[in-house]
Every structure is written in structure tokens, then in C-alpha cells.
């Protein structure tokens, strides 16, 4: 039998079952997550080493987990505590034109027991959302064919998917960019570079049972 990651071992008592795909050596999981995380936190497109000076911004629009409207969460702050059982079977649609960022999102969300759907541009995201009805949609903004703003506008205009929470995950960090996302009905806006663990907390707060 393979080694069991430490965080999964701690949660196994609650779940009483370990998914068969979590049988890798913990070092493999750790190395994969670390390499992908560095790619997002310190990519060359953000200025290489100087990117370490950038701080991620997380804004939740509306009242989430008893926080005031428009709360900006500090690094490492907890949004809510959600049981693993309540997250089982939840589906997240992640849309980004960067395959490495998509892989990062997929790895981190699957470890948290989410099912992950992937899209590479806004048009594809809309088509998948309308066909699959995920529980939450992560949208980059600067993408080919259809950008994230246009995709969000189309989603919110479609009755079958208009109530699905949309979270923008983008390098566009100016106040006017965030305000545009708010006006389009996004549930949250997270700027790149971002902390994967903090993203997971935001997702938990939005898809957890009321």
C-alpha cells in the first residue's frame, strides 16, 4: 500500500474511507503542489523575484461567514470551518487559459474532495456550465475567444445557471477591474498571484450548506 498524506490521515477518522487515487507518497503530493504554487505565486510574468512584493487580494461581495460586505481577507485568515462530508460531490468549474494554473487548481481542489471541470476560455466555460451545472465557477478574465467579464455576463443572463456563484481569479487588480466584477454579479474577486489555501477557504464559504 502507498503512503497516506498527513492531512488525509487526520481526516480519515471522519470519513472512514480513503479515495483510491490518494495512494501516492506524500513527498510526491508535496513536490507537485509546491512547484505549481510557485508558478502562480512568483511567475515571470509578474516580474520574477520582484513578484514576492505582490500581496494577493481576496474580496467577498455580500455577507459570507458573518463577515462585513466587501471584506478583504488577510493571508491565512479562516473563512469558515466545513466538514469534508459536506464538500463531497461538489463540482467546481475552473476556467483559465494557462494550463499550469488549471493544473494547480485541479490538484488543490481534488485534494479537498471536489470534482473539477476544466475550461480554457470564457466561451468553453459557458458551454460547460450550461451543460453540467457546477456548484461554483472560477473565472480568469484575460482569455481568448471570450474574456471572463463577457462569460460572467452571459452566465448571469442565463436562467439555468444565473444563481451559480462566480469567483474571478485574475491578474487585473485595479479598483475599476474589481468594481466591474462586482457589477456583473461575481460572488468574490481574487487577484493573482494568489494563495491556493486561501482560495479553497473562499470556495468552501460559498458552496457550503447554509
Amino acid at each position: 500500500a502507498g503512503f497516506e498524506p498527513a492531512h488525509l490521515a487526520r481526516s480519515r477518522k471522519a470519513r472512514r474511507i480513503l479515495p483510491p487515487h490518494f495512494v501516492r507518497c506524500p513527498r510526491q503530493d508535496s513536490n507537485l503542489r509546491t512547484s505549481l504554487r510557485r508558478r502562480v505565486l512568483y511567475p515571470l510574468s509578474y516580474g520574477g523575484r520582484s513578484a514576492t512584493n505582490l500581496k494577493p487580494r481576496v474580496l467577498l461581495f455580500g455577507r459570507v461567514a458573518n463577515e462585513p460586505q466587501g471584506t478583504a481577507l488577510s493571508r491565512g485568515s479562516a473563512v469558515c470551518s466545513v466538514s469534508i462530508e459536506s464538500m463531497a460531490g461538489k463540482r467546481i468549474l475552473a476556467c483559465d487559459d494557462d494550463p499550469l494554473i488549471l493544473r494547480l487548481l485541479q490538484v488543490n481542489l481534488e485534494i479537498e474532495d471536489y470534482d473539477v471541470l476544466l475550461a480554457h476560455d470564457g466561451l468553453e466555460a459557458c458551454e460547460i456550465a450550461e451543460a453540467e451545472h457546477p456548484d461554483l465557477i472560477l473565472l480568469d478574465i484575460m482569455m481568448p475567444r471570450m474574456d471572463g467579464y463577457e462569460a460572467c455576463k452571459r452566465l448571469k443572463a442565463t436562467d439555468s445557471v444565473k444563481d451559480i456563484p462566480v469567483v474571478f481569479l485574475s491578474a487585473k487588480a485595479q479598483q475599476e477591474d474589481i468594481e466591474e466584477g462586482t457589477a456583473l454579479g461575481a460572488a468574490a474577486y481574487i487577484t493573482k498571484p494568489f494563495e491556493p489555501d486561501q482560495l479553497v477557504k473562499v470556495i468552501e464559504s460559498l458552496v457550503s450548506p447554509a
Side-chain angles (χ1 to χ4, degrees):
F3 291 94
E4 183 178 331
H7 68 285
L8 292 174
R10 289 194 297 270
S11 66
R12 188 172 56 163
K13 290 182 180 179
R15 300 181 60 190
R16 302 299 181 188
I17 186 170
L18 184 67
H21 56 286
F22 288 124
V23 294
R24 293 172 293 187
C25 170
R27 181 177 298 175
Q28 290 176 308
D29 271 334
S30 176
N31 289 347
L32 177 59
R33 296 184 71 180
T34 299
S35 63
L36 289 168
R37 183 172 178 273
R38 285 175 178 166
R39 169 65 176 80
V40 172
L41 289 180
Y42 313 115
L44 293 177
S45 59
Y46 297 120
R49 294 181 179 178
S50 63
T52 58
N53 296 323
L54 292 175
K55 295 182 179 179
R57 297 179 66 191
V58 180
L59 294 107
L60 298 173
F61 307 129
R63 296 188 62 83
V64 177
N66 299 318
E67 292 291 343
Q69 184 172 4
T71 298
L73 302 176
S74 62
R75 184 186 297 260
S77 61
V79 176
C80 62
S81 177
V82 182
S83 67
I84 292 176
E85 288 85 351
S86 68
M87 295 299 101
K90 297 290 186 179
R91 296 195 299 170
I92 308 299
L93 171 57
C95 179
D96 201 295
D97 60 337
D98 188 328
L100 286 176
I101 292 181
L102 275 184
R103 180 59 176 152
L104 167 81
L105 294 171
Q106 183 180 23
V107 167
N108 281 274
L109 294 176
E110 286 183 348
I111 284 176
E112 300 297 330
D113 212 29
Y114 292 102
D115 294 327
V116 183
L117 305 169
L118 302 178
H120 302 84
D121 58 66
L123 182 58
E124 185 180 12
C126 290
E127 292 170 349
I128 293 175
E130 291 165 14
E132 300 293 338
H133 297 89
D135 296 284
L136 183 140
I137 301 170
L138 296 173
L139 275 181
D140 185 22
I141 293 177
M142 297 179 288
M143 296 181 292
R145 294 214 297 169
M146 180 185 288
D147 66 26
Y149 289 145
E150 288 299 319
C152 185
K153 189 182 300 183
R154 171 171 162 173
L155 291 167
K156 294 304 178 182
T158 304
D159 289 340
S160 61
V161 295
K162 67 181 182 181
D163 294 326
I164 299 174
V166 173
V167 175
F168 282 120
L169 186 62
S170 176
K172 292 172 70 68
Q174 298 300 313
Q175 187 60 35
E176 55 266 29
D177 301 322
I178 297 172
E179 290 174 356
E180 185 169 357
T182 309
L184 291 172
Y189 195 114
I190 301 175
T191 61
K192 299 176 184 175
F194 64 92
E195 287 280 7
D197 290 343
Q198 195 171 60
L199 171 63
V200 168
K201 291 173 184 175
V202 171
I203 292 173
E204 287 177 352
S205 74
L206 294 171
V207 304
S208 60

